[in-house]
Amino acid sequence: MPFEKELELARSIALQSGELAMRLQAKGVEAEEKPDLSPVTIADQQCERLISRLLEDAFPEDGLLGEEGSAKPSRNGRRWIIDPIDGTRDFVRGAPLWSVLIGLEVDGIVETGVSYLAPHAEMFFATRGQGAFRNDTRIRVSAVTQVSQAVLCINGLNHMVNRSFAPDLLSWMSQFWSVRSMGGCMDAMMLAAGQVDFWIEDTAKAWDLAPLKVIMEEAGARFQNFDGGSSIYGGDCLAYVPALEQQAHRLVGLPDGRVAAP
């Protein structure tokens, strides 16, 4: 299987990092504010150092990109993209809605990724073309076909006031069966597992999306940016079961049937 060694190592490292984060959390952590106003803790920093060191030891030619500053040029077209604790605000408050994210990008495409929801001991992972899994059980998006039966998750609702679709957002949301907001990694993995049907993320970096994108897509979800692209560098995303594509395009003003760029 392609990237079998890489995926096995990423899963092992995510497990180690999640265990380290939980040990540090149990001792008590305080958040500091980064220049972009997002929080960071000693757990974020120590976990990223652990992940980066283990990946570099195993694959010294690969590049690194991490939320907490890991940066190494690639010598071979491969780069590991790391978010040691996706959901630091939840981590600090003790909410079990955070995850360790590790993705491997090869020539600009994320080929394999891991999202370890440590508080739940749930390991989500996927390799492109090989399907998506939760704790070794294959997962698929739901078979929902009607928006009136669909569950919508939104992350970053408080940042959407300046979006062009903001005036219409509440009425657009009203067509859904229910609306939830558990946080980026949790929302995305619930979509992949068939528990929700549509996820909106208003503000995201590459490390927030790298493994989530390949896991969701391998589970059968569609992924696109608000501008119609399909990139982890797009700064935002919509992800949804295929039957809800028309609702996605209607929200962000894309013509129905538009195909997202790779």
Side-chain angles (χ1 to χ4, degrees):
M1 186 176 76
F3 303 105
E4 184 173 3
K5 177 182 177 182
E6 289 86 347
L7 178 58
E8 181 180 356
L9 180 65
R11 292 177 63 185
S12 173
I13 293 174
L15 182 62
Q16 293 176 60
S17 183
E19 291 173 346
L20 172 59
M22 293 186 74
R23 290 197 301 271
L24 293 169
Q25 185 185 49
K27 295 178 181 179
V29 292
E30 294 185 3
E32 300 177 359
E33 201 170 80
K34 294 191 288 189
D36 65 358
L37 305 183
S38 64
V40 63
T41 71
I42 190 172
D44 296 85
Q45 296 163 339
Q46 288 194 19
C47 287
E48 182 159 309
R49 285 197 291 270
L50 171 67
I51 296 168
S52 297
R53 176 175 57 80
L54 293 175
L55 288 173
E56 190 166 17
D57 287 348
F59 301 106
E61 300 296 308
D62 293 1
L64 294 170
L65 174 67
E67 179 175 11
E68 309 310 334
S70 293
K72 177 188 173 185
S74 172
R75 301 173 187 170
N76 56 9
R78 297 171 24 133
R79 179 167 68 167
W80 293 92
I81 303 177
I82 306 159
D83 191 342
I85 300 178
D86 182 62
T88 300
R89 289 180 175 88
D90 296 305
F91 178 79
V92 171
R93 296 294 296 270
L97 304 173
W98 56 274
S99 181
V100 181
L101 302 182
I102 303 174
L104 175 61
E105 180 184 56
V106 182
D107 296 328
I109 303 295
V110 180
E111 295 287 356
T112 191
V114 169
S115 172
Y116 180 50
L117 294 168
H120 302 274
E122 289 189 331
M123 181 78 71
F124 291 82
F125 59 94
T127 296
R128 196 162 298 281
Q130 301 295 320
F133 297 83
R134 177 178 60 191
N135 292 346
D136 298 318
T137 298
R138 189 157 186 169
I139 55 175
R140 290 287 301 175
V141 297
S142 79
V144 164
T145 60
Q146 301 296 322
V147 67
S148 60
Q149 301 170 338
V151 179
L152 167 68
C153 284
I154 299 183
N155 194 42
L157 184 60
N158 53 320
H159 298 301
M160 293 186 185
V161 63
N162 294 319
R163 292 288 185 178
S164 61
F165 54 76
D168 303 314
L169 184 58
L170 284 178
S171 61
W172 180 85
M173 290 167 54
S174 69
Q175 66 187 314
F176 285 83
W177 185 57
S178 64
V179 179
R180 300 287 183 263
S181 184
M182 273 78 71
C185 58
M186 179 65 76
D187 293 343
M189 295 302 91
M190 291 181 71
L191 171 62
Q195 296 167 319
V196 306
D197 312 294
F198 202 118
W199 172 49
I200 303 176
E201 173 63 72
D202 179 75
T203 305
K205 302 292 187 181
W207 46 73
D208 298 312
L209 297 175
L212 303 184
K213 183 176 189 287
V214 67
I215 294 169
M216 289 187 293
E217 289 179 335
E218 283 300 307
R222 302 278 175 83
F223 177 103
Q224 70 174 66
N225 306 119
F226 291 1
D227 65 2
S230 182
S231 171
I232 62 171
Y233 302 99
D236 50 49
C237 79
L238 307 168
Y240 45 86
V241 299
L244 300 183
E245 185 168 64
Q246 187 177 57
Q247 281 73 26
H249 290 179
R250 184 176 298 142
L251 174 65
V252 295
L254 297 176
D256 288 347
R258 176 170 173 176
V259 177

